[in-house]
Amino acid sequence: MRILVALDKNPYSDYVVRLVAELAGNTWAHVTLLGVETHVSPGELLDSQSAKTAGENAVAAVLDTYREAFLGFFGETDSPYGRHTSGYKLIQEKKGVVNLVYPEQHERKNLTVKCRAGNASREILAEAEQIEADLIVIGCDPGTDCKWEGHADICGKIVKNANCSVFVVKEEKKPRMIDCCLDHDTVSQASIELINQLVTLYHADLEIIGVADAKGLKSEVDRRMASILDYYVSRNIKAWVKVVDGLSLNSIIAQAAEKNLVAMWMGKESFLDKIFSKQRLGKLVTSAESSVLILR
Amino acid sequence: MITGLISINTNLGSSIALRYANELSNKIDMRLYDIHVVDAKKSGSSPGFGWVQKTWENALIESKSEEIRQFLDMEKVELPFLKTPKILIGDRTEKLLDELQTGQYAFFLEGALPSFNPNDFYRLVHSRLYRLMPCPVMIVKNLVPADNAALLLDQDSDHRDFIAQFVKIFNNARVKVDLIDLKFSKTKDLVIGETESRDLHMKNADDALKQSNVTSGAQKTIEGAPDKIAECLREYGLIISFLKHKSKKNNPMIELLGRVPSPVLIFWR
Amino acid sequence: MNNEQQISILVLDDEPVVCKRLRPILEKKGYAVETFFESEEALKRFKEKPFHIVITDLKMKGLDGMQFLTAVKELSPDTEVIVITGFATMETAKESFRKGVFDFLAKPFKLGEISDIIQKAEVKVRGRIS
């Protein structure tokens, strides 16, 4: 499993790091901590991140503190990410991409820290593609337009355009249930596996929510829900089912998200993709008060 | 031994209902029969009358029987009587009511996926089928283990008739039943407490459990809003309640039963 | 045994999709692959013929992946075992390594990721048999 963690200097990134550390503690995933320097050109990135010129405010320096926090979650002996070494060198991977390279850590799994220069959403998506991420985790403030380092709607843009699942983290909470909304029958194995990891992480129940249109629940959605339910029943995992009218999905999500984690299966066949269109989906994610998981 | 009737279709609701019924049959001494009504209206109009119509209807029944048979095979139904469902053609409500009245079933069971909107449940219990239902109805919303049940009571209820109905179904049932005295209010948080054992209605219900030789569990009071109580009852594998056929939309018990995700058994008053 | 010897891999996962995905990729890379959905059957086969590399899921009916890993390591300590799991916990990861697992991989993963691990396991196996 490969997790890309997009971080900025806002406080929500602190609990994004904590959440990913917990998830990585279970899954021993390869983790990439990524920061994006939006105010410098790719050619100037390496120089701009030097501690001598930029000091503690450089994205690289901030990423270094996040790395410390991440590794702090693990004991010295049990960490799949090796010893807590400090002091990094900035090594340019290519123009506009700089790696923070630490002394030999003897790690079983990779913890990569890197900084990119450019447009935040574009760079995050490019990194996700490069590392073949299974999940992008990104934080933002609840109920706002997802201002991320001064740029609006970064999360919405990532959610709309990512090829993998995206977890938009808005608050630190332990959901008692994961509500997975489904309106089509193409559900990837990877998305089910990701839910399984989150169910395990949170010790949460699972609720499969079928989204109905004006004519009711489509038979293919009904069948898919049945097969997902079968999958969980055969693994002794408690899974509930429910139906929601697509038109009231927004308010239902707001209601469910108070205590639960809302996840949505998006796909080419998804009616959610249509009812939210790309803009509306982004808006739903950015305006939600709670964390949202978009499954692909 | 009691007999129950399950209405089936080839969907998730029926799949859940069948599996739940299968498990319940290990806990309650019962024999279950299944029925499917081919909705003639949804199948288009008959190409003619007399023998033409009869032939058309037979063909419809045959094709639906095959579909249902495949569905039951997939569900790996173990109960022998469920393997040969009765297939009828016509208006679903009228056919089911006919069958329930002539068959003298102890209860009717069907699957109905829960929705976020409690009005959907209100519409269901106010449908003609439910309004004229001659026996208790079990609405299976989710596939949960039927090991423990919550029997809901309220201060206004006259439980004498209910006791007779309860005993009929639950005699020697291997289900642990908690008695829950409900008080609906708008308090923000639920207030859960021990019951006053001297309360007459609670004592009557406890007697019903003893009479049925059913294991009685906790006795508690829960006070709060219907949505909060519904969440609290999620832990139960069956919610047993009674309801007036003419309950109004704003009846908190309707809202509670609509919101609770577990299967619900309704005794009519 | 020599470096030309074909490396044998046993894949055990009760989710047929995993075996279905892995088998053709691994065969294309030249490995001799056998897939199993049930751990008892896989163990029976392993007793008949030890494999160089074993890829096993953890959560399975009957003999679970951890028990399977233990049995494999007892029968053939040189076999490299890669554990894959859809329900990962810190404890299962640690326990796997205590039992001598080569790597621990949580689902979902891309085929490239498991291919890299298998390749590393192969290097270790070949180092031992050369």
Side-chain angles (χ1 to χ4, degrees):
Chain A
M1 188 174 180
R2 289 178 177 141
I3 306 174
L4 173 63
V5 195
L7 299 164
D8 66 1
K9 294 170 195 167
N10 283 308
Y12 49 71
S13 286
D14 289 333
Y15 51 78
V16 167
V17 169
R18 281 198 289 275
L19 183 145
V20 173
E22 277 179 43
L23 183 59
N26 275 15
T27 59
W28 293 31
H30 294 300
V31 175
T32 300
L33 306 181
L34 175 72
V36 184
E37 185 60 84
T38 53
H39 303 299
V40 297
S41 69
E44 294 165 336
L45 180 64
L46 188 59
D47 284 346
S48 73
Q49 297 309 303
S50 149
K52 281 179 194 161
T53 52
E56 288 177 357
N57 279 328
V59 172
V62 174
L63 287 171
D64 182 52
T65 61
Y66 287 139
R67 176 185 168 274
E68 276 298 310
F70 179 90
L71 288 174
F73 179 84
F74 300 88
E76 278 287 326
T77 50
D78 295 331
S79 174
Y81 304 100
R83 289 183 290 118
H84 293 204
T85 53
S86 56
Y88 59 87
K89 278 184 189 164
L90 293 169
I91 307 285
Q92 183 162 290
E93 184 182 304
K94 61 182 177 189
K95 198 175 170 188
V97 182
V98 166
N99 281 293
L100 280 70
V101 178
Y102 292 84
E104 186 67 39
Q105 296 171 100
H106 307 289
E107 72 274 18
R108 288 194 178 106
K109 299 290 175 180
N110 301 337
L111 173 61
T112 308
V113 187
K114 63 165 72 175
C115 178
R116 280 174 170 259
N119 172 287
S121 57
R122 211 175 300 149
E123 294 305 318
I124 293 166
L125 289 166
E127 185 64 28
E129 201 155 314
Q130 186 186 319
I131 66 167
E132 296 189 314
D134 298 292
L135 175 68
I136 300 172
V137 187
I138 183 166
C140 76
D141 282 323
T144 67
D145 56 353
C146 265
K147 278 208 174 99
W148 210 76
E149 283 299 289
H151 296 264
D153 200 25
I154 299 293
C155 299
K157 283 176 186 158
I158 289 165
V159 161
K160 280 180 271 175
N161 299 308
N163 290 322
C164 62
S165 297
V166 181
F167 193 177
V168 180
V169 180
K170 301 198 175 192
E171 81 242 280
E172 201 161 22
K173 76 169 176 193
K174 188 175 178 290
R176 52 170 201 171
M177 178 109 71
I178 300 181
D179 282 330
C180 301
C181 304
L182 176 70
D183 75 327
H184 58 289
D185 66 345
T186 45
V187 170
S188 70
Q189 178 70 16
S191 65
I192 288 186
E193 289 166 355
L194 184 59
I195 292 167
N196 295 344
Q197 300 298 3
L198 291 173
V199 163
T200 310
L201 177 70
Y202 291 128
H203 303 287
D205 277 3
L206 184 69
E207 192 162 55
I208 308 155
I209 300 177
V211 184
D213 58 18
K215 291 177 190 164
L217 197 62
K218 284 183 190 156
S219 59
E220 61 263 33
V221 177
D222 184 281
R223 277 197 297 274
R224 196 61 177 131
M225 286 173 74
S227 71
I228 297 170
L229 183 65
D230 260 353
Y231 175 91
Y232 286 109
V233 168
S234 69
R235 281 161 182 77
N236 293 323
I237 292 169
K238 207 171 201 177
W240 304 85
V241 291
K242 213 168 196 175
V243 178
V244 62
D245 171 12
L247 296 174
S248 47
L249 192 60
N250 256 342
S251 59
I252 297 302
I253 285 173
Q255 191 187 316
E258 275 176 29
K259 287 179 179 161
N260 305 345
L261 170 63
V262 175
M264 283 185 284
W265 267 296
M266 305 299 295
K268 284 183 182 136
E269 305 296 318
S270 178
F271 153 72
L272 293 172
D273 240 350
K274 286 175 202 138
I275 61 168
F276 291 125
S277 65
K278 287 215 162 180
Q279 280 65 34
R280 289 189 62 197
L281 169 67
K283 201 172 172 198
L284 174 87
V285 170
T286 51
S287 62
E289 289 291 329
S290 302
S291 305
V292 182
L293 174 64
I294 299 296
L295 297 162
R296 284 203 172 86
Chain B
M1 181 182 283
I2 56 164
T3 55
L5 182 71
I6 310 184
S7 168
I8 56 165
N9 215 323
T10 51
N11 57 21
L12 174 58
S14 292
S15 162
I16 289 173
L18 277 168
R19 292 187 212 187
Y20 185 80
N22 217 22
E23 200 206 320
L24 203 63
S25 68
N26 295 321
K27 299 179 189 298
I28 295 176
D29 194 15
M30 63 180 174
R31 180 174 288 176
L32 289 162
Y33 295 91
D34 46 359
I35 185 167
H36 171 77
V37 183
V38 183
D39 189 339
K41 281 180 199 157
K42 283 184 187 163
S43 310
S45 52
S46 164
F49 300 99
W51 69 268
V52 176
Q53 182 171 2
K54 189 74 193 156
T55 311
W56 177 74
E57 285 179 357
N58 284 345
L60 263 184
I61 289 176
E62 209 169 294
S63 109
K64 203 68 197 180
S65 300
E66 179 56 23
E67 212 178 295
I68 295 278
R69 193 187 58 73
Q70 284 176 8
F71 176 73
L72 292 174
D73 279 352
M74 267 172 56
E75 291 301 322
K76 298 187 184 87
V77 169
E78 289 164 16
L79 299 174
F81 293 98
L82 289 179
K83 288 182 179 170
T84 50
K86 190 180 249 189
I87 311 272
L88 302 174
I89 188 161
D91 180 276
R92 181 177 181 267
T93 298
E94 301 311 320
K95 291 287 175 188
L96 287 178
L97 285 173
D98 274 357
E99 181 64 25
L100 286 166
Q101 269 146 9
T102 53
Q104 305 236 310
Y105 294 95
F107 69 100
F108 173 70
L109 186 152
E110 70 175 342
L113 301 185
S115 86
F116 279 91
N117 186 354
N119 287 341
D120 293 340
F121 186 77
Y122 173 80
R123 276 193 287 276
L124 179 69
V125 294
H126 278 76
S127 62
R128 181 174 157 78
L129 175 64
Y130 279 45
R131 273 188 286 119
L132 300 178
M133 182 77 65
C135 59
V137 60
M138 194 178 288
I139 304 164
V140 183
K141 303 178 180 187
N142 266 292
L143 188 58
V144 288
D147 300 327
N148 60 343
L151 201 163
L152 308 184
L153 305 163
D154 61 55
Q155 297 284 347
D156 306 328
S157 310
D158 176 356
H159 299 86
R160 280 167 299 189
D161 180 43
F162 152 73
I163 288 169
Q165 294 187 66
F166 180 90
V167 171
K168 197 175 165 193
I169 293 180
F170 284 88
N171 201 21
N172 292 316
R174 288 169 293 280
V175 180
K176 195 180 98 181
V177 181
D178 285 359
L179 294 178
I180 297 181
D181 195 3
L182 291 179
K183 194 173 173 198
F184 294 110
S185 70
K186 289 178 180 168
T187 53
K188 197 180 162 209
D189 296 313
L190 287 182
V191 183
I192 301 175
E194 298 293 313
T195 54
E196 295 284 328
S197 54
R198 62 179 178 274
D199 279 358
L200 186 62
H201 67 296
M202 194 57 99
K203 192 179 170 305
N204 286 341
D206 197 33
D207 287 345
L209 296 184
K210 286 194 181 107
Q211 222 177 311
S212 315
N213 200 19
V214 167
T215 312
S216 61
Q219 294 188 12
K220 48 188 165 184
T221 55
I222 303 182
E223 182 182 347
D227 59 334
K228 299 265 178 3
I229 299 177
E231 259 320 294
C232 168
L233 296 177
R234 186 185 279 273
E235 64 179 282
Y236 291 100
L238 180 64
I239 307 297
I240 309 163
S241 174
F242 29 172
L243 203 62
K244 281 182 187 152
H245 273 302
K246 289 180 183 169
S247 297
K248 291 190 175 144
K249 207 180 212 171
N250 59 3
N251 179 338
M253 187 61 99
I254 288 262
E255 185 184 343
L256 186 153
L257 296 176
R259 288 188 186 275
V260 74
S262 307
V264 168
L265 172 62
I266 299 173
F267 290 104
W268 303 105
R269 283 208 305 239
Chain C
M1 283 189 175
N2 56 49
N3 274 354
E4 297 306 307
Q5 189 184 344
Q6 193 179 28
I7 297 292
S8 57
I9 301 182
L10 182 152
V11 184
L12 167 61
D13 198 315
D14 62 355
E15 283 182 50
V17 68
V18 174
C19 294
K20 209 174 144 188
R21 267 197 318 169
L22 275 180
R23 187 176 191 139
I25 303 282
L26 298 178
E27 281 178 343
K28 209 172 166 188
K29 286 178 182 277
Y31 300 112
V33 184
E34 289 187 38
T35 56
F36 296 86
F37 306 135
E38 286 173 19
S39 44
E40 278 82 5
E41 240 182 85
L43 189 58
K44 197 175 149 204
R45 178 66 179 139
F46 193 87
K47 282 176 182 167
E48 290 165 7
K49 181 209 160 193
F51 288 71
H52 293 115
I53 298 171
V54 164
I55 300 168
T56 180
D57 192 7
L58 277 186
K59 198 178 174 108
M60 285 179 294
K61 280 180 192 153
L63 191 74
D64 69 25
M66 204 59 84
Q67 292 166 308
F68 185 74
L69 160 65
T70 310
V72 163
K73 278 294 189 186
E74 273 172 17
L75 290 164
S76 168
D78 285 349
T79 295
E80 296 301 344
V81 182
I82 298 161
V83 161
I84 52 177
T85 179
F87 302 87
T89 64
M90 177 79 96
E91 289 67 37
T92 50
K94 284 185 198 169
E95 196 182 344
S96 301
F97 280 98
R98 270 200 300 272
K99 288 183 188 290
V101 79
F102 180 77
D103 209 342
F104 177 88
L105 185 55
K107 297 175 185 176
F109 52 78
K110 301 274 190 316
L111 287 169
E113 191 178 352
I114 195 161
S115 294
D116 288 350
I117 295 171
I118 292 167
Q119 222 166 335
K120 285 179 192 159
E122 182 188 352
V123 169
K124 197 170 171 195
V125 168
R126 290 211 183 274
R128 202 178 287 130
I129 64 183
S130 62

